[in-house]
Structure formats: C-alpha cells, structure tokens
Amino acid sequence: MSKTVKRRRAAPKKSRAGSGKKSRTVQLRYLAHGRSGDKGDTANVGLVALEPELYPILVKEVTRARVARHFKGMASRVERFELPNLNALNFLLHGALDGGGTISLKTDAQGKVYSTALLRMTISVPEALGRRLRLPRA
Amino acid sequence: MSKSIRIASGQGFWGDWLEAPVRQVEAGGIDFLMMDYLAEVTMSIMQKQKSRNPAAGFARDFVPLMERILPDLVAKGIRVTSNAGGVNPRGCAEGVLAAARKLGLAGSVRIGLVTGDDLMDRLDDLIARGHLLNDMDTGRPVTDIRDTILSANAYLGMQPMVTALDRGAQIVVTGRVTDTGLTLAPMFHAFRWQVDDWDKVASGTVAGHIIECGAQASGGNLLKDWQKVRGLTNPGFPIVEARPDGTFYITKAKGTGGVVSVASVTEQLVYEMGDPTTYITPDGVADFTTIHLAPAGRNRVLVSGIKGRPRTDQLKVSIAYFYGYKAVGTLVYSWPDAYAKAKAADKVVRGRLADLGLEFEQILTEYVGVDATHGRLAGEPSPDLAEVQLRIGVRAREKAPVERFTREIAPLVLTGPPSVTGFAGGRPQVEEIVAYWPALIDRNEIEPHVTVDILEA
C-alpha cells in the first residue's frame, strides 16, 4: 500500500454523521457491473452503475482509498478516474498481476476477473433508496 | 461520399471464433471487414515461427479464411483491413494472392501491403543514434535486454491503410498497426476526412476500440444480466455504421445471437482503459469522457459527441524479448477436507524442491475453487468443498530447475496426501517466457520507412 489509510468510515446501519438519515450496507454487485483488463503489470477495473441514479453513490463511496484498502496486499497503488458520461469509474490497480502478461504465474494473469473481485466490496446507500430498489443488505 | 458506411468486426484476436468473419460476409450489407489478429506478444510468437521457417510469421488462419470468403467478398464488394501479416506481411499477402489465383479470381483482386513497422534490422542503428527505447513502465534502457530481443515493431496508424484503400486495394494486409486503425482507415478513406480533424480521429478511434475485441461488444463476456443474453452459439459480431459527421451506430447482423446495448458497449469501452481523457493512438488522442451513448432501437446504440486532441510526436514500439522459463502443475483433491489435503500437498512439493536445492524466481500456489481468482477476498471456503484443484506455478531464468519441477507433480499421487486425481494430462510442460517491453520512438524515425505496395492477383 502506498498510502496510509485514513480513519475508518462510520460503521454501517448507524445514522450517518450530519445527515441524520439511515443507510444500509450493500454489496457492489447489486449496484454496478463492469469489466477488467490489463496493461503490463496493471489491471484496470471499469465499474459501471447499474442505474444512472446510483452513479453519484459510487463516486462518493467507492473512493480511491477504499478500493486500495479492498485490494490491500493485491495491488501496490490504486488510481481512480471518473466517467460521468458513462456512469462509470475506472480504477488502475498497479502491480496487481504478478509481473503481468506472460511473466505472471497467476490463473488470472490478465486481470480478467478483477472486476468481479471489486464487486465483492460493500458500501453504504441511503436506506430509502435501498428499500425502493430492493437492494439486499450485505 | 455522403452516405454511411458499415464496418464489421470479424476477429478480435488470433484464435477468435473462426466462423465470425464468414457469417459477417454471408449476412452482407457491410462495406468493410476488419480483422484484428495481434495481441502484445503475438509478434514474438510469429517471429519465432519465422526464424524456423522464413515463409511463416503471419496469422496462418488468414489465408484459408480468405480462400473461403474471397468469392463472396468480390461479389459483394466488401473490402478487408487486417493486421494478419504479423512479422511477415509480404508472405501473408502472397498467400492471399495465391488463394485468389486458385479461385480463378486473377485480375479481380488487389492486395494492399503495408510494411515498415518492423524495426529488428534497424534496432542497433536506432540505439547507436541515441534512441534509448526505455521501458515505458520501468524506465530501464533497452540495452539491458538487447541480446534477448526477439521482435521490435512500431505501432503504425491508419494512414498507410488509407493510402492502400485509396489505391483500390480490396484486401489490406499489414504488420503491427493499431487495432483501432483498422476501423479508422475505412472511415478516412470513405469520408475524405482531414487527418488533423481530431474529433473525427477520436470518433473513429472509439468506434475501433468498441469493435476490436469482436463479440465482447455484442453480448460476449457481458456481465450485466448475462443470463438474459441469448443465442451465443451464433453471436453477431459488432458492426459500426459510421456517418460522415463522425457519429456512428453500433449494431449487429439480423438473426444473430448476443446483444448490442448501452451496457454491452459500455463494458467494452472501459476494457483495458487507462486515463479515460487521454486514449493515445498514432492518429490522435481521444477523450473517452466525451462519449455519449444512446439506445437507438433493438440491438442498436448511437455513439456521438466525441472530442479529440492532436496526435503526439511519438509512436509506441512493442519489443518482445526472451525472459526465462515457467511451468504450471495441477492436481485435484476430493472431499473430505479437500482444501486441507491440497495445502498439505503444496507443502510436500515445496519441501522437495527445497531439498533438491532448486532456485526459482517465484513459486506461486493457487487453490482453484478457493482463491485462484479473487485471492483472500473470496474469504474462508466452505469446509465441505467437493474438490479443490492445487495449482503450483514456478518461474526461473534457467531451464533446469523448471524442468525438474515438472517431475515433482505426478509422484504426489502415490507419495502425498490422499484422495488425489486429475493427473491424466501428464507432466507439466516447460514454457519459454517471451516478455513484453513497451517503448516510445520519434514518429519521424518511422514514417519515412513505411511503404504501401499494391499487388495484383
């Protein structure tokens, strides 16, 4: 990890500081889809909101730091880019492919399934939205 | 020309579905067929083949494929752009010519041959004149690996292909050109766009990026609602319907399976993406944050709004070099305690390798069914797994330790933990590792050397 992780987020399901609104914890698979690939020893993960209204939540919750923490020990450095036009975020996971390409011994030497590994992450969504979209609690 | 043109994807990589280009041509209604054969390390494989046989070194499948579809291509006036030429584009073009003659099409097929991307013979001269060809990722100078280089090619853009099309080529055969150039060239040829119209370059580049991986834009490998994707026994590979104003539709042939939707196109757009504002090709820089997608009917998506910036002064060079050796061995352990047995077996193998004093750059163990795809993120496995595949990989600069490792898997069947199977494939194979070295070079060192020949059948 290149950066020290900032203090942890407030525990889910509690009232969020300042907003006074309830939230629920949801796995990203119910909020986004995506695809991943490789460039050398870097895997890219494109994360796409399943619905446009979910995109701002991804922007706010799926931060560079949280993704770096999610992939701790599996990537050396994480970058994030925003594509609001596609309701998508693009993450670069540097040093994630064990040398990458033909050098790597990994089953997933080309990072093809890192996208689904990111979908394991959980984030908070407003309770009202979670109820309306019937998002399963993690 | 003011009407739209249709460019069909026929192949997303060397080894893609053989029937795809045939179905595209049979369905008709297309003007161009683009076929991408070259992944990053493909050139080195072809170089190795050429060193054994000077007539080899290109995508062999391409010639019999052309033989199969040439009569239809000629009858329907469909033109082909392809980088099937690899490190021997002339040999590839001549193979197609021979096929045309065999089919009695002499006099009716012109082949455009693009060369000048191959830098192998110029490498020492370039290095001597101060072109460091540093690894773009690590910054190391190419002199570190000079003696192990197997191939070196500059990525050419669309321009020589546009020239070939302008000169009447029906089939354009190239070596290392960008995947996107194969789609851009037909647009610039047909619409007479200015090469410094950067928004048009960017639009064509995005179109090329969408279709360069074949069915991956039209329902293949689609994660969103994958269970609802129908008809993948006959997936319709994507088709770009390009318009002179730079906007275009992505669609597929009627009656085919798969799906073209905003979701299918979006997943392909984010595939292998870096900084989305700066997608660099030899022809210009595209800004993927300006792409606008809109549904435009069944299996039809409108793509518009794309902005671009001027091309850079450098071209990318792909260098392949010999790195070392690797091998991967697998065994399957069954219930009960499948995972525990596999872990115990791994310990035995590592102990034996250590006792033999073998040195490896790396030994990597994965447990398929437990952690092979998501690592620790997959969490603790169920204690009741039906089976686990033990997968051990090793890598070394020398061949001997890797060779010896390949003898250490089968013995586990009788000398290790119980309930083991899945060794019918025999001893693991030692593989030579050819690694990839991306670099940059001044554009003006390359472009004067690029030539376009027209060959007549």
Side-chain angles (χ1 to χ4, degrees):
Chain A
M1 255 4 2
S2 61
K3 294 258 175 161
T4 49
V5 173
K6 289 183 188 149
R7 68 188 166 74
R8 284 198 159 282
R9 294 182 42 74
K13 292 178 193 169
K14 281 187 187 166
S15 293
R16 286 154 56 125
S19 73
K21 286 179 185 168
K22 290 241 161 98
S23 62
R24 72 167 72 171
T25 303
V26 178
Q27 201 168 30
L28 274 181
R29 66 180 293 200
Y30 299 109
L31 305 166
H33 63 115
R35 179 169 293 170
S36 50
D38 67 322
K39 270 280 180 281
D41 196 20
T42 299
N44 100 288
V45 177
L47 186 74
V48 186
L50 284 171
E51 302 293 339
E53 68 178 312
L54 296 172
Y55 177 66
I57 299 174
L58 298 186
V59 172
K60 188 172 164 223
E61 298 286 330
V62 191
T63 60
R64 189 204 64 77
R66 288 210 61 202
V67 171
R69 197 187 310 155
H70 183 70
F71 285 109
K72 190 171 181 176
M74 298 169 70
S76 58
R77 185 167 64 89
V78 173
E79 287 182 274
R80 186 183 94 157
F81 300 93
E82 297 178 18
L83 293 105
N85 55 317
L86 300 177
N87 297 310
L89 297 172
N90 185 42
F91 295 93
L92 297 184
L93 312 179
H94 296 283
L97 298 176
D98 181 36
T102 52
I103 293 177
S104 177
L105 297 171
K106 284 168 68 72
T107 296
D108 191 22
Q110 290 168 315
K112 298 278 186 188
V113 295
Y114 267 87
S115 51
T116 51
L118 181 56
L119 295 182
R120 288 179 177 275
M121 194 170 128
T122 57
I123 64 169
S124 303
V125 303
E127 178 59 24
L129 181 72
R131 197 178 306 126
R132 180 159 57 80
L133 296 179
R134 296 182 180 172
L135 300 173
R137 291 177 197 278
Chain B
M1 190 190 272
S2 61
K3 65 183 182 63
S4 60
I5 57 167
R6 287 163 65 93
I7 307 162
S9 167
Q11 199 80 167
F13 66 102
W14 190 17
D16 202 357
W17 192 40
L18 287 173
E19 299 309 304
V22 180
R23 303 272 166 102
Q24 289 281 41
V25 172
E26 278 172 3
I30 58 171
D31 304 292
F32 296 89
L33 180 68
M34 68 75 77
M35 286 192 283
D36 176 25
Y37 283 89
L38 301 181
E40 287 176 347
V41 295
T42 314
M43 300 298 276
S44 61
I45 299 167
M46 291 171 164
Q47 187 72 47
K48 207 179 276 178
Q49 292 171 347
K50 193 184 172 191
S51 67
R52 290 190 208 112
N53 171 11
F58 56 89
R60 287 250 163 204
D61 302 344
F62 186 71
V63 173
L65 170 70
M66 284 298 119
E67 192 171 332
R68 201 171 153 197
I69 64 176
L70 252 182
D72 221 8
L73 291 175
V74 171
K76 293 174 176 171
I78 300 167
R79 303 168 80 180
V80 175
T81 55
S82 179
N83 54 17
V87 297
N88 187 4
R90 185 169 295 276
C92 182
E94 281 166 1
V96 178
L97 279 183
R101 291 190 193 110
K102 198 164 126 192
L103 291 163
L105 293 170
S108 50
V109 178
R110 284 179 152 194
I111 317 271
L113 170 63
V114 175
T115 54
D117 61 300
D118 193 335
L119 303 182
M120 264 314 252
D121 294 338
R122 301 179 54 202
L123 210 50
D124 289 322
D125 175 53
L126 289 168
I127 293 169
R129 287 193 291 108
H131 295 281
L132 297 176
L133 298 171
N134 289 347
D135 186 320
M136 287 167 69
D137 297 331
T138 65
R140 287 169 61 202
V142 79
T143 43
D144 283 8
I145 55 153
R146 175 65 191 95
D147 295 342
T148 57
I149 292 177
L150 300 168
S151 65
N153 298 76
Y155 280 83
L156 305 183
M158 63 163 166
Q159 281 184 324
M161 290 184 277
V162 175
T163 303
L165 292 170
D166 288 350
R167 288 169 60 189
Q170 177 145 18
I171 318 279
V172 182
V173 174
T174 76
R176 183 73 272 186
V177 299
T178 55
D179 313 348
T180 51
L182 299 168
T183 300
L184 260 179
M187 295 184 190
F188 274 77
H189 161 73
F191 299 140
R192 302 280 151 205
W193 287 339
Q194 298 299 307
V195 293
D196 60 353
D197 186 340
W198 307 116
D199 291 346
K200 298 287 198 304
V201 171
S203 293
T205 298
V206 171
H209 179 80
I210 292 171
I211 69 167
E212 77 193 15
C213 292
Q216 214 180 207
S218 54
N221 193 26
L222 177 62
L223 182 59
K224 186 181 183 188
D225 294 331
W226 71 267
Q227 302 95 328
K228 293 181 188 164
V229 179
R230 298 279 177 245
L232 287 182
T233 46
N234 180 28
F237 273 44
I239 296 170
V240 174
E241 198 175 297
R243 303 194 290 193
D245 66 358
T247 63
F248 58 91
Y249 293 95
I250 298 293
T251 186
K252 65 185 183 73
K254 283 201 170 61
T256 59
V259 62
V260 174
S261 63
V262 169
S264 78
V265 173
T266 302
E267 283 195 22
Q268 177 54 25
L269 281 173
V270 299
Y271 178 64
E272 292 186 344
M273 177 184 276
D275 175 351
T277 65
T278 310
Y279 184 98
I280 303 172
T281 79
D283 302 307
V285 177
D287 183 349
F288 277 41
T289 66
T290 60
I291 301 168
H292 184 257
L293 303 179
R298 194 172 149 79
N299 291 312
R300 203 169 160 80
V301 171
L302 175 62
V303 188
S304 62
I306 300 161
K307 296 287 177 199
R309 299 195 297 280
R311 65 187 204 179
T312 66
D313 295 333
Q314 293 178 304
L315 296 180
K316 191 170 171 183
V317 176
S318 83
I319 296 171
Y321 66 101
F322 175 75
Y323 184 92
Y325 300 87
K326 67 178 177 181
V328 173
T330 63
L331 287 171
V332 174
Y333 289 86
S334 89
W335 181 95
D337 307 319
Y339 182 34
K341 290 168 185 163
K343 280 196 288 192
D346 177 59
K347 220 170 163 182
V348 170
V349 173
R350 284 172 182 261
R352 288 179 187 169
L353 295 177
D355 288 350
L356 288 166
L358 301 176
E359 287 185 14
F360 297 95
E361 199 173 76
Q362 193 186 12
I363 304 175
L364 180 78
T365 305
E366 294 177 327
Y367 299 94
V368 180
V370 176
D371 66 3
T373 54
H374 289 177
R376 62 164 176 78
L377 293 170
E380 272 303 301
S382 153
D384 214 30
L385 288 175
E387 67 267 333
V388 167
Q389 184 185 53
L390 169 67
R391 182 183 185 279
I392 307 178
V394 299
R395 183 177 69 235
R397 296 295 183 135
E398 303 298 323
K399 190 173 185 179
V402 178
E403 180 76 48
R404 188 65 182 79
F405 160 80
T406 66
R407 312 278 183 133
E408 289 297 331
I409 299 300
L412 276 178
V413 173
L414 303 185
T415 64
S419 329
V420 57
T421 184
F423 46 86
R427 219 191 298 152
Q429 297 297 309
V430 178
E431 280 181 73
E432 289 184 8
I433 303 173
V434 174
Y436 178 67
W437 180 286
L440 293 172
I441 195 162
D442 293 343
R443 180 185 287 276
N444 55 26
E445 282 289 353
I446 305 300
E447 286 177 344
H449 294 264
V450 174
T451 58
V452 179
D453 294 319
I454 301 294
L455 315 178
E456 308 259 358

